[in-house]
Amino acid sequence: MRPFFRPLLLLLSLLLTGALAAQKNFTVSGYVKDASTGEALIGANVYVKETMRGGATNTYGYFVLNVPAGTHTIAMSFIGYEDFSQAVEVSADVKLNIAAKPIAIQVKEFEVVGERGQPNTEGTQMGTVELDVQRLNTLPALLGEVDILKTIQFLPGVQSNGEGNSGFYVRGGGPDQNLILLDNATVYNASHLFGFFSVFNADAVKNIELIKGGMPANYGGRISSVLDINMKEGNDKEFHGQGGIGLISSRLTLEGPIVKDKGSFIVSGRRTYIDILTKPFISDTAAFSGSGYYFYDLNAKANYRLGEKDQVFLSGYFGRDVFTFSGTSQGDPKFRIPWGNTTVSARWNHVFGPKLFLNTTATFSDYSFAFRGDQDQFSFRLFSGIKDYGLKVDLAHYPDARHRLKYGAQYIYHIYTTSTVEVSSGDTEFDIAQPPKLHAHESAVYALDEFDITDDLRINAGLRLSRFDHVGPYTDFILDDRERAVDADTIAPGKVIKTYMGLEPRLSLRYRIDGNSSVKASFNRAQQYVHLASFSSIALPTDVWIPSGTRVKPQIGTQYAVGYFRDLFEDVVEASVELYYKDMQNLIEYREGAEPQRNGNTNYDTQLVFGDGYSYGAELFVKKRTGRFNGWLGYTWSRTMRQFDAINGGEEFPSRWDRRHDLSVVVAYTLNKRWELGGTFVYATGQAVTVPVNRYWIEGRLVSEYTERNGYRMAPYHRVDLSATLNGRKTKQRRDPETGEVTEVPRKFTSSWTFGVYNAYNRRNPYFIYFAPEGNPSDGDFQVKAKQVSLFSILPSVTWNFKF
């Protein structure tokens, strides 16, 4: 047995021993599902009324209550559903499945909750937010495209990377430090249209959870955050569909039973049609007549219940962006740039007994980028990507009312394709050394226990042990002073090149001050073995994923956080203040002057430099959960710095994601049964950039003097977005032919119109700054002027949504 597993086995033994020694109780266990669709309800609060003790359902709607013998009233509450209660006589283990009935809500809510179905002050997790996807349609959206990632950017501690960009950055971390999971499969590039839209179709998504701090031990591989997204399972009662038609894309979702009450499916597709709509209006002689862009994605999922104890799931995502350019004249260059993601997840749930729940998941993830340019007989290709094969086993154990255990193991086989160049001219291919694909094994075991020491003090303690092996085949090129390959060391397939291991402790606690307030604190340490090398300040498909190796060390993140949480006005309003400090080690950047095509496919890490960083800040969050008027306010004050020996003379400099102030206000108002209004306001400190401050003529050549790295701030970013949704009538009158009685019955087909205005007061926000020469040196009026490029002015949109 490998030595690094022994500490985890010892911890598991102690946990199991404590569980077996626990006082003998009986259990009430089962699933909570939507009575109308059969969808499992995540985070529903199930408890014993007499003691008010209980817990939340897991991702599959499963719950366990430990109770002594006797009669108990089992209750369930969940926003948007009728309260449930039932007296249960307990003299042995009891199986209780709850069919939750949706409420016909007159006044809708837009839900963003910390622990869904539980008070803001109860849980141990900090910086954890869930989004109710069904309410996203009422918020303003760029060009009418409902976007999950842009909604996340309205939360404190989460920043956007500029106008319209769906990339997000959490508490000073980079985009590669966010673990994005879709049904447990990793999504490496979550953007369409060079970052303007996310790859997630909201119609296919069931639940979104963002963890910014206090990351539990069952998550790993990233040091900043986790974005855990679960797809819908499909209606197992009857066939339904929904969709929408907008200005730039349309979408359609179909769902229904495979076998009623036992299995279901859902299929959801989306495609843009800018290329189709504009083609008839562009003449064959126009400069861009041969150009086009489109993206599409497809989500599919099926599940089947094999019995009371077993259920299987199969889900997948496939999405692609394609950009093409072709000149109109012979000899003009032609370009084609496709990129996209593919994910597959196969899961098996098994209930060993009421206190032990197993979830086994096999995953596949593939992200690829390619560029091909042709002109006459010359051809140039650049491509990169990453492919993962994974297996994960998670066990949830409920030994008694005070302990909730989780433990498991994970394995991922990575295959990296770093930036690879191919060049040819006619039948001649240039002899450029081809780098082999990079291979690595990543594994981890973990255990955690969330336990109540007293009624007021709850602790979540976990430990994760991870290991990373970079293995052959690999060719390590030996370079001369001009970075040309002069020799190579070939490593055989399967041979270990470099091994890293890390012990990752996780601890969070909650102390309840009274029934409405609590203080929380957390500490977590995580290691990240994959890095994203980027030439741009925004996330682009050209960014390259690379593994840790002999010269590239794993990123290490350590975060401390403390916060005060309070529920106000009988839980109608919740508020919190969090303080955090994050230390980041072994960060990477491309050195100054680096280019992706340099070095002729030699070592992938030659152009990299290494450094550290830190971030600290304060976050304020106030949210009104219910009523005709609801929404939230989020504010972040933060500072994010970097230090690289090879950059900025070794001096500290602000990170490109450093924002001193970040404010978001989100409001929703239900005017009446037909009309819903929404609005958002955002303000952020201007982005830090490097610009020239002086220019000199030296020997007839213009030389620029620059600020320190990121030493200049662009103008602040702010805008207002507005939306109005007109809902069609959801019921119709039906007259009984015998009695003449008139009743209201649901319509089989319903629809709504959403009107939006992006950037309502037409703010010219800076996207980037460039410098243009004006005048003539010989005339003495030569000067270089800074010019700002703004991307979007005021943009109206309209979308028609429908359900049947």
Side-chain angles (χ1 to χ4, degrees), residues 628-642:
R628 298 181 66 180
F629 177 84
N630 54 83
W632 73 89
L633 178 149
Y635 171 74
T636 305
W637 182 96
S638 63
R639 180 178 172 86
T640 303
M641 302 296 289
R642 298 286 189 264

Side-chain angles (χ1 to χ4, degrees), residues 693-732:
V693 291
N694 290 306
R695 296 179 187 270
Y696 308 96
W697 286 100
I698 300 178
E699 297 180 353
R701 190 164 54 94
L702 185 64
V703 178
S704 300
E705 177 186 348
Y706 287 85
T707 64
E708 294 182 346
R709 183 69 170 255
N710 295 337
Y712 175 80
R713 291 279 177 180
M714 291 198 292
Y717 180 95
H718 54 87
R719 74 170 198 275
V720 166
D721 303 334
L722 303 171
S723 70
T725 301
L726 174 61
N727 295 302
R729 301 187 185 277
K730 297 183 178 181
T731 61
K732 61 182 179 180

Side-chain angles (χ1 to χ4, degrees), residues 498-517:
K498 185 66 177 180
T499 296
Y500 291 100
M501 289 172 42
L503 197 61
E504 306 174 24
R506 314 285 174 84
L507 178 66
S508 58
L509 62 88
R510 177 269 292 155
Y511 180 75
R512 186 163 48 201
I513 299 172
D514 53 40
N516 294 318
S517 62

Side-chain angles (χ1 to χ4, degrees), residues 651-666:
E651 298 293 327
E652 279 189 357
F653 59 91
S655 164
R656 69 185 73 167
W657 304 295
D658 179 51
R659 303 281 194 280
R660 199 67 67 245
H661 304 282
D662 199 304
L663 173 68
S664 298
V665 180
V666 176

